[in-house]
Amino acid sequence: MDFTPGEEQRAARGLAARIFADLSTHDRLAAAGTGSDAELWKELCAAGLPGAVEETGLLGLVLMLEEQGRTTAQVPFAASCVYGLLAVAGHGTDEQRGRLLPPLRDGTAVATGAFPACDAVHVEAGARLSGGVPLVPWLRDATHVLVAAADRTLWLVRAGERGVRVEPVETTAPWSAGRLVLSGAPAERLGGAGAYADVLAAARTAFAGVQAGVCAGSVARAVEHTSAREQFGRPLSTKQAVLLRAADAHMDTEAIRVTAYEAAWRRDEGLPYEAQALTAAWWASEAGKRVVHTGQHLHGGTGADLDHPVHRHFLWGRQLDAYLGSGGGVLQELGTLLTEKEPEE
């Protein structure tokens, strides 16, 4: 296996890094509050980055999402690409791709996903959905919601349609989330058998990429702080305890990154990747929370300041820790999957 990014993937990552660094600044994030940055999203779409995912694949998306996580940029990039572009491109009919992909590429349509499958959402006669999903990230920005019903089928509903209600919900991280309430909402089926498992695995891989960036940003801030802050005439970064904690955080971050790369590469190559996606999700959960706690701890008393930039990394890290399955739940899924694949004696 070779995770070396291709030319198009490197170009997309570089462009994403520049846009996020220029526009996702501390002052702009503070001004955005818990909502999305509409100007930043418009800039990303004008640069063609959402649409580029069809060419760069899931690995290219993971590379760009690292840059989003590094700056904790408040835009629905991961959600719209995974639950919209990749899901429709991979599992939609020719008619659905022709109708849905152009607005998703240019950002005039924004998708999100009600994932994992919710036992409270049921399919009724006439392709209508009823039930409720307590938390859907970026729901307040979405024009389309990919809903995973109790029977693991996928359905697209349009926000604003009769029978679709969005109730704002504030989460640990500022993800413009909401509660989705469906009452006989009209929906269209997306994909067949295997579509749910593929989209869930892709989402876990993509958000692991976000977590890798969040952790890298947290570690970078900690390194900058401990190198500049002195104690007894020496930088804090020269203390052995500080060095060891920072080294552990770096290694945890690299573990998240490489497992996300492997899962994404396997999907792009058409190889089975569900186990690899679960592995990446486990590292993103377990190692991710260790890293963001370390980043905050190494800032000392400054880390307790809720307005300090490092606190955003802490909030994002803890949100990603639980999204799409906490470490324990993901590990149980992985164990079950590996057991079922063992050859019978």
Side-chain angles (χ1 to χ4, degrees):
M1 61 184 70
D2 183 4
F3 304 153
T4 305
E7 183 178 349
E8 290 184 349
Q9 293 169 330
R10 291 196 300 271
R13 176 175 61 182
L15 180 56
R18 289 196 295 274
I19 294 174
F20 284 127
D22 289 343
L23 294 182
S24 186
T25 62
H26 175 65
D27 291 340
R28 286 178 61 88
L29 288 168
T34 61
S36 296
D37 188 332
E39 183 179 340
L40 174 55
W41 178 242
K42 187 181 298 184
E43 188 71 20
L44 291 169
C45 295
L49 290 181
V53 173
E54 293 177 82
E55 300 297 326
T56 64
L58 184 54
L59 180 56
L61 176 59
V62 166
L63 293 170
M64 290 187 281
L65 291 178
E66 276 191 79
E67 302 305 325
Q68 178 185 4
R70 200 181 302 273
T71 59
T72 60
Q74 292 171 201
V75 286
F77 193 21
S80 197
C81 288
V82 171
Y83 300 124
L85 279 159
L86 290 180
V88 173
H91 301 286
T93 63
D94 290 341
E95 187 278 329
Q96 286 175 320
R97 288 194 291 268
R99 171 167 48 89
L100 296 169
L101 288 178
L104 287 168
R105 292 185 189 117
D106 63 24
T108 53
V110 175
T112 189
F115 272 69
C118 182
D119 291 339
V121 176
H122 300 283
V123 183
E124 300 175 345
R128 293 181 177 273
L129 301 182
S130 289
V133 183
L135 175 65
V136 180
W138 309 109
L139 182 59
R140 304 201 303 263
D141 297 332
T143 58
H144 296 75
V145 186
L146 185 62
V147 181
D151 61 359
R152 296 342 187 226
T153 54
L154 297 184
W155 301 83
L156 271 172
V157 301
R158 289 184 60 90
E161 286 276 6
R162 183 186 296 274
V164 180
R165 189 168 81 250
V166 175
E167 300 173 352
V169 172
E170 296 301 337
T171 55
T172 301
W175 283 7
S176 294
R179 180 181 297 107
L180 180 66
V181 182
L182 303 168
S183 304
E188 59 177 310
R189 179 78 181 268
L190 185 72
Y196 169 75
D198 176 60
V199 174
L200 178 58
R204 282 172 162 159
T205 304
F207 281 96
V210 177
Q211 184 74 300
V214 168
C215 292
S218 179
V219 171
R221 291 189 183 281
V223 169
E224 181 181 9
H225 176 81
T226 56
S227 297
R229 189 70 177 266
E230 292 188 354
Q231 185 182 59
F232 305 121
R234 296 173 57 194
L236 289 173
S237 59
T238 62
K239 307 294 184 181
Q240 186 178 41
V242 172
L243 288 170
L244 291 174
R245 289 212 67 185
D248 285 343
H250 171 72
M251 293 305 296
D252 271 339
T253 301
E254 289 301 299
I256 301 169
R257 176 181 288 119
V258 73
T259 52
Y261 284 7
E262 180 185 9
W265 174 83
R266 288 182 66 89
R267 183 187 189 274
D268 292 343
E269 293 295 315
L271 300 170
Y273 75 108
E274 187 177 358
Q276 287 74 19
L278 285 165
T279 302
W282 182 84
W283 276 104
S285 176
E286 293 295 311
K289 62 187 173 188
R290 285 198 300 266
V291 173
V292 296
H293 274 272
T294 294
Q296 199 165 24
H297 187 198
L298 290 180
H299 278 75
T302 306
D305 182 357
L306 301 186
D307 295 324
H308 194 281
V310 78
H311 188 64
R312 291 195 183 91
H313 293 270
F314 176 78
L315 295 178
W316 277 66
R318 291 314 308 257
Q319 185 75 45
L320 288 161
D321 162 33
Y323 182 54
L324 298 179
S326 61
V330 167
L331 190 61
Q332 184 176 14
E333 281 188 59
L334 179 59
T336 301
L337 178 66
L338 295 178
T339 301
E340 290 175 348
K341 287 187 175 181
E342 288 183 356
E344 296 182 1
E345 296 183 359

